[in-house]
Amino acid sequence: MEMGIPDVNIMVQMNTTTMRPSEAVQVCLDEKVPLFCAGLGNPGFMVDQAHARGMKVLGVTGNSKNARRMAASNVDIIVAQGHEGGGHTGRIGTMALLPMAIDAASPKPVLAAGGIGDGRGIAASLAMGCAGVWIGTRFLATVEGGALGINKQKILDSTDEDTRVSRAYTGKTLRASYSRFHDLWDASGLDPVPFPMQVLISSALIAGFIEANKPDYVGGLAGQISGLIHEIKPAARLLEDLVEETVDILSRKLPETVIAK
Ligand SMILES: Cc1cc2nc3c(=O)[nH]c(=O)nc-3n(C[C@H](O)[C@H](O)[C@H](O)COP(=O)(O)O)c2cc1C
């Protein structure tokens, strides 16, 4: 009221993914999706059914304990996501997490996630022993990226210090572009309600801020690598650039600068 936020008439979609995960998993099994990735929790419970249908299963983890658990559950590929990543995130930085997750998941392959935005991050991940990378924020800031225009602009405007981890969005720790919504929630002293119900509250608030034209209070999910992103590219060109940069580092720059005797 004080801020002049209008009543918003929004329909917040609590879809099967958030409200009835087991039904969403069953749809994926019925459709035999080639790759199934679980972002929260161990997808081990559905691995045998997935393999019987020719599917591969990935699991995202933020620590080595869960990397070990997922590997023991026969998950095909473990995605180790560091604290700097956009979206739901754990407490351990990517650089520290990767070698520990690789050891814990062995012999299962690990993809590096969190803070990768160009060929340097990819080359470093490969050098660390990862089978590949899993990139979120950099692809969000593409022509095809699904974020609102205002949130893409926030990524472009961000420095490396302009994201925050907060439970105000979903009830779980989640990294997003900094906005005054973070300060407002912190100052309220309110505890977020448990995941996923907090999504209803934050979505309604943010829709109100957008409708009231208060962009200072709006920011989308994004990682610390936002500070490296200065251009919205078509996704295909970004992919080509990432591959070219990585190949250049591995085949030219490293052999020129690192001489092992
Ligand atoms: C807008 C956005 C939405 C995301 N949604 C999900 C999700 O629904 N499930 C999930 O497992 N990870 C999700 N993530 C995390 C990504 O899968 C990935 O691990 C992360 O973006 C990697 O870090 P980066 O953003 O630094 O590249 C999301 C990330 C972003 C930026």
Side-chain angles (χ1 to χ4, degrees):
M1 190 73 83
E2 282 166 29
M3 293 176 60
I5 305 294
D7 282 343
V8 283
N9 186 11
I10 62 160
M11 175 81 84
V12 178
Q13 252 193 328
M14 299 299 279
N15 56 29
T16 48
T17 316
T18 40
M19 295 308 283
R20 286 187 289 278
S22 57
E23 285 180 22
V25 169
Q26 191 55 51
V27 171
C28 294
L29 289 167
D30 292 346
E31 294 297 323
K32 299 185 176 68
V33 297
L35 286 179
F36 174 94
C37 183
L40 297 169
N42 180 359
F45 69 93
M46 50 77 73
V47 163
D48 288 346
Q49 296 173 74
H51 287 171
R53 290 161 176 78
M55 298 163 55
K56 296 271 187 227
V57 180
L58 290 79
V60 182
T61 178
N63 60 41
S64 55
K65 181 178 72 185
N66 284 330
R68 187 173 296 107
R69 278 193 190 142
M70 288 181 190
S73 305
N74 208 18
V75 169
D76 298 289
I77 301 173
I78 316 298
V79 181
Q81 190 208 288
H83 178 65
E84 48 269 65
H88 289 123
T89 188
R91 288 185 290 266
I92 306 162
T94 304
M95 193 77 167
L97 175 62
L98 290 182
M100 290 188 265
I102 288 169
D103 290 348
S106 176
K108 296 291 185 188
V110 169
L111 301 182
I116 298 167
D118 65 16
R120 291 172 292 186
I122 300 175
S125 305
L126 296 176
M128 199 78 97
C130 293
V133 296
W134 177 265
I135 297 177
T137 303
R138 181 55 272 214
F139 275 99
L140 202 59
T142 57
V143 173
E144 296 84 350
L148 294 174
I150 183 172
N151 291 339
K152 289 186 186 179
Q153 190 59 45
K154 288 261 164 162
I155 292 175
L156 294 182
D157 294 343
S158 287
T159 71
D160 48 0
E161 296 192 290
D162 293 331
T163 63
R164 297 285 186 280
V165 174
S166 170
R167 291 174 56 229
Y169 289 87
T170 68
K172 290 184 184 290
T173 50
L174 176 143
R175 185 180 295 283
S177 300
Y178 166 74
S179 79
R180 295 180 70 184
F181 170 59
H182 290 111
D183 302 333
L184 192 68
W185 187 269
D186 292 348
S188 76
L190 292 169
D191 267 339
V193 294
F195 176 89
M197 300 315 288
Q198 180 70 15
V199 177
L200 292 172
I201 296 172
S202 63
S203 303
L205 283 170
I206 290 168
F209 296 139
I210 292 173
E211 204 163 306
N213 193 25
K214 291 192 178 294
D216 291 359
Y217 288 82
V218 180
L221 283 57
Q224 290 178 334
I225 202 64
S226 297
L228 190 75
I229 301 172
H230 309 299
E231 191 191 348
I232 304 284
K233 300 179 185 181
R237 209 185 96 213
L238 171 62
L239 191 62
E240 285 166 12
D241 290 350
L242 292 173
V243 171
E244 269 176 33
E245 291 160 12
T246 308
V247 169
D248 186 48
I249 292 169
L250 297 178
S251 64
R252 187 183 64 81
K253 287 189 178 147
L254 272 181
E256 270 174 24
T257 52
V258 182
I259 294 150
K261 290 192 177 168

